Amino acid sequence: METILIVEDDPSILFGLTKNLKYEGYEVITANDGDSGLQEALSGKADLILLDIMLPGVNGLEIARTLKRAEIEIPIIMISARNQEIDKIMGLDLGADDYITKPFKVRELLARIRAVMRRQRRHDQRIRDEKRDYGEFMVDFAARTVSRDGSILEFSPREFELLRFFLENPNRVLERSHILNRVWGYDYEGTARTIDNFVTKIRQKLEADPEAPRFFVTARGLGYKFIETPEPATSGAELEAEPDPEEADEPEAAKKVRGRTSRRAKAATPSKPTAKAKAKPARAKKSSRRLKTGTRK
């Protein structure tokens, strides 16, 4: 059953909409001011929002702007007494899916709600039914399975939702706070360390080398990024298997050259004089004196 959030400060309109929507089979959440309406919208419980513009506290346009900034994709139908073209354009530019002016017919509003919900269901169904192959692993959103090398991997519900969020936002830096809000919800009181632990688990399951990830990389000081088409990994074995043709016969010669170079460097390095070396000049002086003495004789 789909849930509709009504943010409206007029008690009579709020009562009438609540009664009609429940009669149509919808779950209904209500808020009669902007502040409580924003909190309900951020909770992520609603499938669609009926949003008045003129509200006590935070107005409807600011609520829509906040949801857009947080990238919370909940369909919005704006309800307002403002019927100027600029008001409609501003509301639609801020992320509203439709705009209806007061006074309105309930039957028309219900038809607009059904139209918006149909579009949203088609969008969600495309994502759920889609299979994506990333070369080293495959994700089946309909079956909620992840496979690698033909084997199904075990993913917890939260791990799968985090993986889905990464895959739906490729090549973008996702801040830890944003990931927490979208995957765990705005009312979750965990820390960034929670995300780090889950990302580590995903790397261990999907990366060839979890210590040097290619798909799920860290954006230092910010969060993480999923690289949809990473550069191919080049291993040390591959480098050794393709030596330079001109240097194919070089290893032994190179060793000899290195040996000669090492000996020369060793010889050129001045060493500390030993006790014997210090004594030699003194003996030389004595010998010189004897030689002079012998000459005089």
Side-chain angles (χ1 to χ4, degrees):
M1 185 180 293
E2 290 158 324
T3 301
I4 296 179
L5 168 63
I6 308 172
V7 187
E8 171 62 63
D9 64 325
D10 188 318
S12 61
I13 294 177
L14 186 60
F15 175 80
L17 288 177
T18 300
K19 182 178 179 180
N20 280 277
L21 290 172
K22 286 185 175 179
Y23 180 80
E24 293 293 322
Y26 297 105
E27 289 282 347
V28 178
I29 303 171
T30 63
N32 57 11
D33 62 76
D35 296 308
S36 60
L38 178 59
Q39 291 303 313
E40 291 290 354
L42 291 174
S43 72
K45 299 174 183 176
D47 298 299
L48 182 141
I49 302 174
L50 296 179
L51 183 61
D52 190 12
I53 291 181
M54 300 299 294
L55 292 166
V58 182
N59 65 48
L61 293 175
E62 188 58 37
I63 291 174
R65 184 180 290 110
T66 301
L67 295 177
K68 183 178 181 180
R69 191 182 302 123
E71 299 183 8
I72 297 178
E73 298 177 356
I74 301 176
I76 298 173
I77 297 178
M78 285 194 165
I79 302 173
S80 177
R82 296 181 178 182
N83 59 3
Q84 296 295 318
E85 182 181 16
I86 186 62
D87 297 318
K88 296 178 182 179
I89 292 173
M90 187 178 297
L92 294 171
D93 283 345
L94 287 174
D97 296 82
D98 203 348
Y99 191 107
I100 189 169
T101 57
K102 300 175 182 179
F104 54 84
K105 300 290 185 182
V106 173
R107 291 178 61 184
E108 180 187 357
L109 177 60
L110 291 174
R112 289 172 181 262
I113 290 172
R114 288 193 294 269
V116 171
M117 297 295 268
R118 279 197 302 270
R119 290 197 296 269
Q120 186 65 29
R121 282 193 291 267
R122 284 196 295 266
H123 172 72
D124 293 342
Q125 192 64 38
R126 276 198 306 272
I127 295 176
R128 284 195 296 267
D129 292 347
E130 194 173 11
K131 292 182 180 180
R132 299 187 188 180
D133 188 349
Y134 294 93
E136 296 184 17
F137 62 91
M138 179 179 287
V139 180
D140 187 335
F141 289 102
R144 292 180 66 86
T145 58
V146 184
S147 59
R148 184 179 180 188
D149 299 328
S151 300
I152 301 295
L153 304 175
E154 185 176 344
F155 269 69
S156 70
R158 188 73 72 182
E159 287 172 354
F160 188 85
E161 289 304 318
L162 178 57
L163 176 63
R164 179 202 290 273
F165 185 60
F166 277 128
L167 302 186
E168 290 176 350
N169 297 275
N171 307 314
R172 293 177 54 193
V173 173
L174 302 172
E175 295 185 10
R176 287 179 173 85
S177 59
H178 182 47
I179 296 172
L180 273 177
N181 292 338
R182 293 300 302 273
V183 180
W184 275 264
Y186 277 82
D187 54 350
Y188 181 72
E189 297 181 355
T191 65
R193 184 62 182 166
T194 301
I195 299 174
D196 297 338
N197 292 335
F198 274 80
V199 170
T200 297
K201 292 178 182 178
I202 291 177
R203 284 172 172 171
Q204 290 171 346
K205 294 174 182 180
L206 300 181
E207 295 281 5
D209 182 1
E211 298 299 323
R214 297 168 52 239
F215 289 97
F216 305 93
V217 300
T218 301
R220 192 172 298 279
L222 295 172
Y224 295 95
K225 180 197 289 188
F226 169 65
I227 307 298
E228 189 169 22
T229 310
E231 293 294 326
T234 305
S235 66
E238 290 173 341
L239 291 174
E240 292 176 4
E242 298 179 0
D244 189 335
E246 295 181 1
E247 299 179 359
D249 300 325
E250 190 182 271
E252 284 302 321
K255 288 180 183 178
K256 293 178 182 179
V257 169
R258 282 199 299 274
R260 289 197 295 270
T261 305
S262 177
R263 286 195 295 274
R264 288 172 185 166
K266 197 171 183 180
T269 303
S271 58
K272 293 182 180 180
T274 62
K276 292 182 179 180
K278 290 179 179 179
K280 282 181 182 179
R283 286 198 299 267
K285 288 180 180 178
K286 289 180 181 180
S287 300
S288 176
R289 287 172 186 167
R290 287 175 188 163
L291 186 60
K292 289 179 181 178
T293 306
T295 305
R296 286 192 185 121
K297 287 179 180 180

